[in-house]
Amino acid sequence: MLSKNKIKQIHALSLLKHRKAMRLFTAEGSRLVLDFLESDSRKVKELFASPEWLKTHGNRYPEVIKHEVTGQEMKKISNLKTPSEVLAVIAMPDEDKTASVEPGKWYLALDGIRDPGNLGTIIRTAEWFGIDTIFCSADTVDVFNPKVVQATMGSLSRVSIVYTGLTELFQKYKNIPVYGTLLEGIDISGIKNPEQGIILIGSEAQGISKELIPHINYRITIPPAETSKAESLNASIAAAVVCYALLR
Amino acid sequence: MLSKNKIKQIHALSLLKHRKAMRLFTAEGSRLVLDFLESDSRKVKELFASPEWLKTHGNRYPEVIKHEVTGQEMKKISNLKTPSEVLAVIAMPDEDKTASVEPGKWYLALDGIRDPGNLGTIIRTAEWFGIDTIFCSADTVDVFNPKVVQATMGSLSRVSIVYTGLTELFQKYKNIPVYGTLLEGIDISGIKNPEQGIILIGSEAQGISKELIPHINYRITIPPAETSKAESLNASIAAAVVCYALLR
C-alpha cells in the first residue's frame, strides 16, 4: 500500500519548484514508460504499476524499485484524467550547459513556447524529422511538466533539450545559418537544398523576440492561401511544416 | 448581476447533450468573439463582457443581447483557467446534410479525431491552406466543444464542418481522389502537381479505419528520418504537412 507521504511526494512533482529541487519528473502510460526504460533504465527510479503490468514487464528491469498499486491508488498519484496502468518517477538528465552546435546538422531553437502541448508535439515532430537537439529560451515551458512529457509520446527519452540564452547561442555560432519563421519572409518552398542550420520558432502570442531578429539569416514564412483570414499558424504546426520543407 | 439560473445555463453548454439540445455553444476571448461577430453577428445570441470591453466594442453590434459582468462573475461562467474579458453564446449553424464535393477543390476528411486540441488546430490549419470544408466521421469529437472552439482561433467562424458518413461520401464522389495518410505509402513529396482531392486523416490511436482503406486512391506517408524511433506524428501535424505538401 502507498503511504500518504509517498503520494504527496509524487504529487509534488507536478510542480516546477519540486521537480527542480528533486531533479525528478513523472511519466505515465505503458508505451511512454517503456520508452524511458529502454532508453536508459538507470534513470527510472521508481515504478508504480498494476500487478498485471509488473508481471508482464517488471522482470526486465531488476534495478528499478517497483510498487504494485491498485486502481484507486493510481487515481491518487496520476496527472491524467484517465489514469493508466503505470507511472514512473524518472531522474532528469544532467543539465547540458555547453549548448554546442555542429556544422552539417539541423537544430530547433524555441523562443518562449508556453503551451505544454505545443512543446511536447514539437519534440515528437523533431525526432521524426531527424533533429536530436532542441534549444529552448529560459522562458519556454519546462520540458518535464507532465503535460509536455505526455505529448512527446516517448521522443523526450531520445531528444536532447537544452535551456540556454538564444542570443548567446547565435553569437557563438555565427557561421551556422538561422532560419526564423515570421509572418513576412521568403516563401519556405523557395529555399533550395539548404544543408544545415537552426530553425527559430517564436512564442504563441508574441512570435520571435525583437532582440533575436537581427540574428536571423533567412526570414522565412509559410504563405497562407489567398482566401485565408487566419492570423497565424499554431507554433507546433509551423515548426513541423518548416522541418518538412527544409530537412526532407 | 447574473442570476444563478443564467450561470447554470452557460455551464450546461460545456456538455455535448445540452449543446445539441439548445443548438448553442460558447466562445471566449476578445479576438475569437470578434471573429464570430464579424463573420455573422446574427448568430451571436448573447455577450457577457467587462464594462471596458462593452464600451470599446459593444455599440457595433446593436442586435446582440449584452450583459455587463464582473471579474468574479466571469470566473463562474468561463471554461478557461484564466478567464478573458468576454464570453459569447452563439447559435450553431444549420446542419449541412448534403456534404457536397466540388471538383477542382481540396477537402479534409477526419476519421475519428478525439482530441479537441487536434481538431481545433486542424481547422485553423485548413483555413491557412485554403480549405473551406472539413468532413468529420460521427465519432470525431464535437466541433462545438469549448476546447475545440478555442483552439480554432477564429477559423471555426469561417470553415464549414460537416459530420457525415465517410464511406458514403467516398462512394458518392468516386471520381474525386482520396489521399489517405498511412505509416506506409508513397512519399508525400513525390506526388507532383496534384490538383484536387480529399485528404483523409485517421484517428490519434487507431489511424484510418479498416473500412475506409479500400476507398483510398493514394496511400501517402511523411517519411521519418532514418534515426527516428518515433512511432507516428501527431494527427494535426500530419494533416498540416500533407496540406502544405499537396496544396502549395
Side-chain angles (χ1 to χ4, degrees):
Chain A
M1 216 189 79
L2 286 185
S3 68
K4 277 194 180 171
N5 206 24
K6 187 57 104 180
I7 294 171
K8 208 174 146 188
Q9 280 174 16
I10 299 170
H11 264 293
L13 297 177
S14 65
L15 294 177
L16 177 62
K17 62 174 180 181
H18 296 300
R19 286 197 298 274
K20 288 213 163 172
M22 302 173 72
R23 309 262 330 134
L24 295 171
F25 67 99
T26 60
E28 299 186 57
S30 187
R31 184 175 293 174
L32 183 56
V33 169
L34 288 171
D35 273 345
F36 279 104
L37 284 164
E38 289 299 319
S39 86
D40 187 354
S41 64
R42 291 165 305 174
K43 284 189 186 151
V44 178
K45 295 303 171 195
E46 293 186 75
L47 287 174
F48 301 83
S50 67
E52 298 75 29
W53 194 91
L54 288 174
K55 206 175 161 189
T56 313
H57 304 285
N59 293 333
R60 285 158 59 201
Y61 311 101
E63 70 283 16
V64 182
I65 300 166
K66 298 170 199 77
H67 305 264
E68 195 175 299
V69 296
T70 63
Q72 280 305 315
E73 288 174 320
M74 191 55 99
K75 266 192 193 167
K76 286 184 190 163
I77 58 172
S78 175
N79 289 297
L80 304 177
K81 269 191 196 165
T82 314
S84 74
E85 48 190 348
V86 58
L87 179 148
V89 173
I90 305 169
M92 292 180 188
D94 294 332
E95 274 184 272
D96 191 342
K97 301 273 187 194
T98 54
S100 74
V101 175
E102 294 167 34
K105 281 182 65 174
W106 285 99
Y107 297 85
L108 274 174
L110 308 180
D111 179 26
I113 293 291
R114 293 297 198 292
D115 182 85
N118 280 347
L119 178 56
T121 304
I122 289 173
I123 295 169
R124 180 179 175 191
T125 307
E127 187 189 13
W128 188 269
F129 287 116
I131 290 174
D132 65 9
T133 306
I134 300 177
F135 302 108
C136 299
S137 64
D139 59 347
T140 297
V141 60
D142 179 44
V143 67
F144 299 110
N145 174 311
K147 286 184 188 168
V148 178
V149 175
Q150 295 307 124
T152 67
M153 297 290 279
S155 293
L156 180 55
S157 65
R158 298 177 295 266
V159 174
S160 296
I161 312 296
V162 183
Y163 284 80
T164 188
L166 298 182
T167 305
E168 296 71 33
L169 182 79
F170 297 149
Q171 278 170 343
K172 189 171 168 191
Y173 294 98
K174 276 187 181 158
N175 52 330
I176 305 287
V178 175
Y179 292 83
T181 51
L182 298 162
L183 286 172
E184 292 189 5
I186 318 165
D187 179 346
I188 185 76
S189 60
I191 296 180
K192 298 298 173 205
N193 307 316
E195 286 175 355
Q196 61 167 349
I198 304 173
I199 297 164
L200 173 61
I201 306 288
S203 77
E204 294 89 347
Q206 266 85 39
I208 295 174
S209 319
K210 269 187 192 167
E211 62 269 29
L212 293 178
I213 301 274
H215 297 280
I216 297 174
N217 303 103
Y218 297 91
R219 295 172 183 231
I220 54 175
T221 200
I222 303 160
E226 276 178 29
T227 53
S228 172
K229 289 180 184 165
E231 295 215 352
S232 62
L233 285 168
N234 165 287
S236 70
I237 295 290
V241 170
V242 172
C243 283
Y244 170 79
L246 295 184
L247 273 70
R248 93 203 120 99
Chain B
M1 215 189 80
L2 286 185
S3 68
K4 278 193 180 173
N5 205 26
K6 187 56 102 180
I7 294 172
K8 207 175 148 189
Q9 279 174 16
I10 298 171
H11 265 291
L13 297 177
S14 65
L15 295 177
L16 177 62
K17 64 175 179 181
H18 295 300
R19 286 196 299 274
K20 287 213 163 170
M22 301 173 73
R23 308 251 345 123
L24 295 171
F25 67 100
T26 60
E28 299 186 58
S30 186
R31 185 176 293 173
L32 184 56
V33 168
L34 288 171
D35 273 345
F36 279 105
L37 283 164
E38 288 299 320
S39 86
D40 187 354
S41 64
R42 289 165 305 174
K43 283 187 186 153
V44 178
K45 295 303 170 194
E46 292 186 77
L47 287 173
F48 301 83
S50 67
E52 297 75 30
W53 195 91
L54 288 174
K55 206 175 160 191
T56 313
H57 305 285
N59 293 333
R60 284 157 61 200
Y61 310 101
E63 70 282 18
V64 182
I65 300 167
K66 296 169 202 78
H67 306 265
E68 195 174 299
V69 295
T70 64
Q72 281 305 315
E73 289 174 320
M74 190 54 98
K75 267 191 191 168
K76 287 185 189 162
I77 57 173
S78 175
N79 289 297
L80 304 177
K81 271 192 195 164
T82 313
S84 74
E85 50 191 346
V86 58
L87 180 150
V89 172
I90 306 170
M92 293 181 188
D94 293 333
E95 274 184 273
D96 191 342
K97 302 273 189 197
T98 53
S100 74
V101 174
E102 294 168 33
K105 280 181 66 174
W106 286 100
Y107 298 85
L108 273 174
L110 308 180
D111 179 26
I113 293 291
R114 294 297 199 291
D115 181 85
N118 279 347
L119 178 56
T121 303
I122 290 173
I123 294 169
R124 180 179 173 190
T125 307
E127 186 189 12
W128 187 268
F129 287 115
I131 290 174
D132 65 9
T133 306
I134 299 176
F135 302 109
C136 298
S137 64
D139 59 348
T140 297
V141 59
D142 179 43
V143 67
F144 299 111
N145 173 313
K147 286 182 187 170
V148 179
V149 175
Q150 296 306 124
T152 66
M153 297 289 280
S155 293
L156 179 56
S157 64
R158 297 178 295 264
V159 174
S160 296
I161 311 296
V162 184
Y163 285 79
T164 187
L166 297 183
T167 304
E168 296 71 32
L169 181 78
F170 297 148
Q171 278 170 344
K172 190 171 168 191
Y173 294 99
K174 275 185 182 160
N175 52 333
I176 305 287
V178 175
Y179 292 82
T181 52
L182 297 162
L183 286 171
E184 294 188 5
I186 319 166
D187 179 347
I188 185 77
S189 60
I191 296 180
K192 298 297 173 203
N193 307 318
E195 285 174 356
Q196 61 167 348
I198 304 173
I199 297 165
L200 173 61
I201 305 289
S203 77
E204 293 89 348
Q206 266 86 39
I208 294 173
S209 319
K210 270 188 192 168
E211 63 268 28
L212 293 179
I213 300 275
H215 297 281
I216 297 174
N217 303 101
Y218 297 91
R219 294 171 184 231
I220 54 175
T221 199
I222 303 160
E226 276 178 28
T227 54
S228 173
K229 288 180 183 163
E231 296 216 351
S232 62
L233 286 168
N234 164 286
S236 70
I237 295 289
V241 171
V242 172
C243 283
Y244 171 78
L246 296 183
L247 273 70
R248 98 202 115 101

